[in-house]
Amino acid sequence: MRTILITGPGGSGRTTVAAATAREAARRGTRTLVLSADSTDTLGAALGVPTGPAPTPVGTAPGLTAWRPDAGESFRADLLALQEQASTALDLLGSARLDTEELTPLPGAEELTLLRALRDASTADTFDLLVVDLPPAPQALALLALPEQLRRYLRRLLPAERQAARALRPVLGRLAGVPMPTDRLYETAARWDVELAAVQLAVEDPATTVRLVAEPGPAGADAVRSAVTGLALRGLRTDALIGNRVLPDASPDTWLAALAAQQRKALDGWRDEWGSAGTCEVHEIPHLGRDPRGADDLALLPVPVSLSASASATVPGGAAGPLAWPVVDRLADDGVLVWHIPLPGAIREELDLVRRGDELVVTVGQFRRIVALPSALRRCAVDGASLREGELRVRFVPDPDLWPRTR
């Protein structure tokens, strides 16, 4: 299934663009699900149909289904299940049980609910296209990074290989004088890892791309640059940059004409910076003079449609695939292996690299990612790095003590 993740600065109209993209795909015969986790029904307002915790067919667009999972219901179900699993320990501690009526979602519950819904939708065979209305860009980037980060924490805190010595744990516990982790703890960690892996697989799937929505202008330009770089660090490709609510060029009103000129300048800058470099396509959606509401208004929004051979012509936006991080062998010429990491929009002064065992810690401005080194690079030492044309190139030299010797 193809997945389009849509985000952008807050207030940019990303939910409306998500609704228009899903509607256009359904109109072209693609079975489409549009997913949002907003606590308020902004998706339903754009579609003209109320959405809720159960997937709901949109009557005005055959083949389109909308889903806005209830974070509160999901949170209550999870906490009650955890309370039941830990009932023995809670009884020993004399804890008072929490009732359903007194449980309210904690911060972050909406994001976790969205990840779970994304996992469930991506593994179903009901739809051909999943359009996800993500939170604003900063929260969206943190959300997309969460599965990989949590899986890494689980592997460090509860390594699976230590589970093998089950028979020794009581003995080790007596020798150490401290209780050892129980089987249930490892089983819970393993279940979490499987669930997180399914979400990570859906996000990193080659058929998943990201679409950025922003209003053209100085603030939008800064937000777009930051988002494109952060997404690239996660290995995600931005296939389209959409300038939303673009004003007409000709206007007798001096104030509107000046604002339109500012928007035009920003759009030209985007095309020079992103379009000419091949990072993503730049599209415009005109301002309707009102907030789009319902099928008729959505039909007036020209969401981008790609006829790329790599994707079905009926699906808005062709699947460009994830960003590749290739290792180039230059041992014969320069004695190094070069790891190419695409980071469009990155600034040299905001880059930082740290080698940590078999991992590389990459920091770009406010974003950080810890990535495992490819097997060949684990037997090498870092020799230097450079940033050229939006690409980080890290040089590695073989370690004589670890590199295979040749006759």
Side-chain angles (χ1 to χ4, degrees):
M1 180 174 63
R2 172 83 196 285
T3 300
I4 299 178
L5 307 175
I6 297 183
T7 184
S12 60
R14 66 188 188 281
T15 300
T16 300
V17 173
T21 302
R23 181 193 173 280
E24 178 64 15
R27 189 186 69 82
R28 292 166 175 259
T30 303
R31 299 178 303 169
T32 305
L33 172 66
V34 57
L35 175 65
S36 176
D38 272 352
S39 56
T40 56
D41 195 8
T42 53
L43 177 62
L47 291 171
V49 176
T51 64
T56 304
V58 179
T60 57
L64 176 60
T65 301
W67 185 18
R68 189 170 55 88
D70 184 354
E73 181 181 345
S74 178
F75 175 80
R76 284 189 290 272
D78 288 344
L79 192 55
L80 290 174
L82 179 62
Q83 188 173 249
E84 185 63 28
Q85 291 176 358
S87 59
T88 303
L90 293 176
D91 290 341
L92 289 174
L93 295 172
S95 302
R97 300 293 183 89
L98 295 170
D99 296 327
T100 305
E101 294 76 12
E102 58 183 316
L103 296 178
T104 56
L106 296 175
E110 290 182 4
E111 287 78 4
L112 292 175
T113 301
L114 181 62
L115 285 179
R116 177 174 293 176
L118 192 156
R119 177 203 64 190
D120 294 342
S122 63
T123 55
D125 297 328
T126 311
F127 305 99
D128 304 313
L129 174 66
L130 172 61
V131 178
V132 185
D133 173 29
L134 290 175
Q139 294 93 318
L141 286 162
L143 176 69
L144 296 174
L146 192 59
E148 181 181 85
Q149 291 175 340
L150 290 180
R151 294 188 72 200
R152 183 177 181 274
Y153 295 160
L154 285 173
R155 288 193 297 268
R156 290 292 301 275
L157 296 174
L158 292 171
E161 57 270 17
R162 295 186 184 179
Q163 191 178 179
R166 293 182 178 180
L168 296 178
R169 281 209 292 272
V171 178
L172 293 174
R174 287 193 293 271
L175 290 176
V178 295
M180 302 298 288
T182 64
D183 289 344
R184 175 168 289 186
L185 182 60
Y186 280 105
E187 291 168 359
T188 301
R191 177 171 54 81
W192 285 351
D193 185 71
V194 170
E195 293 181 358
L196 291 168
V199 178
Q200 186 177 348
L201 185 63
V203 172
E204 298 176 355
D205 190 278
T208 296
T209 54
V210 183
R211 189 163 293 180
L212 288 178
V213 182
E215 288 195 33
D222 294 339
V224 164
R225 182 179 297 106
S226 176
V228 170
T229 304
L231 290 166
L233 183 60
R234 306 244 43 100
L236 297 172
R237 184 185 301 276
T238 303
D239 72 338
L241 171 55
I242 300 173
N244 194 27
R245 300 172 183 150
V246 177
L247 297 172
D249 292 331
S251 174
D253 188 293
T254 305
W255 184 83
L256 287 178
L259 186 56
Q262 179 178 274
Q263 287 188 335
R264 182 57 51 194
K265 182 179 178 180
L267 287 167
D268 292 341
W270 289 354
R271 289 190 173 91
D272 291 340
E273 184 172 7
W274 309 114
S276 300
T279 303
C280 61
E281 297 179 355
V282 179
H283 299 269
E284 301 178 26
I285 293 182
H287 202 304
L288 299 183
R290 59 185 181 278
D291 289 335
R293 289 291 183 270
D296 293 339
D297 281 353
L298 294 182
L300 299 176
L301 304 181
V303 291
V305 178
S306 173
L307 301 181
S308 170
S310 62
S312 170
T314 63
V315 178
L323 291 173
W325 291 20
V327 176
V328 178
D329 186 345
R330 290 172 48 188
L331 291 174
D333 297 330
D334 303 318
V336 296
L337 296 171
V338 183
W339 198 9
H340 292 248
I341 304 176
L343 292 176
I347 301 173
R348 189 186 309 273
E349 291 73 21
E350 296 181 350
L351 266 174
D352 186 52
L353 296 174
V354 176
R355 168 76 181 269
R356 186 182 181 281
D358 291 339
E359 298 176 324
L360 187 68
V361 184
V362 185
T363 303
V364 188
Q366 60 179 312
F367 308 110
R368 173 177 294 178
R369 187 182 182 189
I370 303 176
V371 291
L373 293 173
S375 57
L377 301 184
R378 296 174 189 174
R379 303 190 297 273
C380 300
V382 177
D383 184 54
S386 62
L387 180 66
R388 299 177 184 174
E389 299 176 350
E391 185 177 68
L392 175 64
R393 302 173 186 178
V394 189
R395 300 185 301 276
F396 292 81
V397 294
D399 186 334
D401 296 330
L402 301 175
W403 197 258
R405 299 179 183 273
T406 58
R407 294 183 181 273

